[in-house]
């Protein structure tokens, strides 16, 4: 008969390679979940909820310090035609291209480009009155018109509708300037 031996417990949990790997996998999943709550999975830009949170913070700061704040809304022209004739993959490719153009036209670390809706992007322009915001829309429109996008079915030139709005004293919150800009581009 083999004798049983008692080995005292050190009080520390025993980890083998599989539990360490599982722990790393759980942490990776948590990080992916956190990122998916903040960023649009198609464009990589902040999603609408993150945009509204950040625009709200910029709005409160602008009101508190009496600084200018503008928002630009951009919508794909012919979105329904693009979707019905070229498909969802084409729309996603177009939105990624537009997101890249928005980022290129924006001031890094200052402006806040984001995915607002299925066919809309938005950019918060802190410390920016209306005239420079309109210049931003002109630059962005020009960039979009000169940049063809490669789709599986061939190259396509895009058209977009752009509108810029600046917060005004009568605004009750950032949603007021967003609503004005969306009405201009036909998004509301």
């Amino acid at each position: 008969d083999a004798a049983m031996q008692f080995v005292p417990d050190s009080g520390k949990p025993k980890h083998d390679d599989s539990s360490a790997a599982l722990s790393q996998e759980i942490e990776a999943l948590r990080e992916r979940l956190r990122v998916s709550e903040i960023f649009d999975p198609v464009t990589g830009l902040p999603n609408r909820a993150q945009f509204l949170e950040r625009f709200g913070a910029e709005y409160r700061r602008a009101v508190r310090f009496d600084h200018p704040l503008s928002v630009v809304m951009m919508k794909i022209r012919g979105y329904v035609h693009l979707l019905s004739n070229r498909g969802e993959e084409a729309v996603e490719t177009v939105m990624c291209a537009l997101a890249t153009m928005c980022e290129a036209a924006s001031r890094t670390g200052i402006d806040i480009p984001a995915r607002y809706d299925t066919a809309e992007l938005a950019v918060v322009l802190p410390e920016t009155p209306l005239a420079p915001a309109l210049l931003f829309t002109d630059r962005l429109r020009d960039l979009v018109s000169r940049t063809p996008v490669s789709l599986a079915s061939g190259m396509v030139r895009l058209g977009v509708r752009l509108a810029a709005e600046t917060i005004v004293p009568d605004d009750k919150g950032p949603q007021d300037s967003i609503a004005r800009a969306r009405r201009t581009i036909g998004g509301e």
Side-chain angles (χ1 to χ4, degrees):
D1 276 341
M4 287 182 74
Q5 287 188 331
F6 176 73
V7 178
D9 187 3
S10 68
K12 295 180 183 174
K14 295 179 184 175
H15 292 288
D16 61 11
D17 288 341
S18 64
S19 66
L22 182 59
S23 182
Q24 287 176 339
E25 188 175 334
I26 290 170
E27 281 307 309
L29 287 171
R30 283 185 179 140
E31 178 62 15
R32 284 193 2 222
L33 179 61
R34 185 190 70 72
V35 166
S36 73
E37 291 173 349
I38 297 172
F39 295 101
D40 174 62
V42 173
T43 64
L45 293 176
N47 62 23
R48 183 178 183 152
Q50 181 68 10
F51 167 78
L52 292 172
E53 182 179 315
R54 292 179 69 190
F55 189 25
E58 287 295 333
Y59 176 84
R60 289 185 296 278
R61 188 181 65 76
V63 168
R64 182 173 54 243
F65 296 111
D66 194 28
H67 289 185
L69 175 65
S70 295
V71 63
V72 170
M73 300 299 292
M74 177 170 61
K75 184 175 185 175
I76 302 173
R77 283 188 188 273
Y79 166 76
V80 173
H81 178 77
L82 180 66
L83 181 61
S84 61
N85 291 322
R86 306 245 182 152
E88 190 173 327
E89 186 177 322
V91 170
E92 289 181 356
T93 300
V94 164
M95 290 307 290
C96 284
L98 290 174
T100 300
M101 291 179 227
C102 267
E103 287 180 310
S106 298
R107 298 170 294 180
T108 304
I110 299 171
D111 298 335
I112 306 165
R115 176 92 181 252
Y116 191 79
D117 205 348
T118 307
E120 290 178 58
L121 297 176
V123 184
V124 175
L125 304 171
E127 302 292 334
T128 307
L130 186 57
L134 292 171
L135 290 173
F136 175 87
T137 64
D138 291 342
R139 273 196 329 270
L140 188 53
R141 184 179 290 108
D142 182 58
L143 179 59
V144 170
S145 71
R146 321 183 257 108
T147 309
V149 176
S150 177
L151 301 176
S153 58
M155 299 296 277
V156 64
R157 290 209 180 266
L158 303 174
V160 292
R161 290 190 296 248
L162 288 152
E165 285 291 335
T166 300
I167 62 170
V168 295
D170 291 343
D171 285 352
K172 293 177 181 34
Q175 68 279 2
D176 291 349
S177 55
I178 292 170
R180 287 191 305 273
R182 289 190 80 214
R183 278 191 298 274
T184 301
I185 64 169
E188 211 174 71

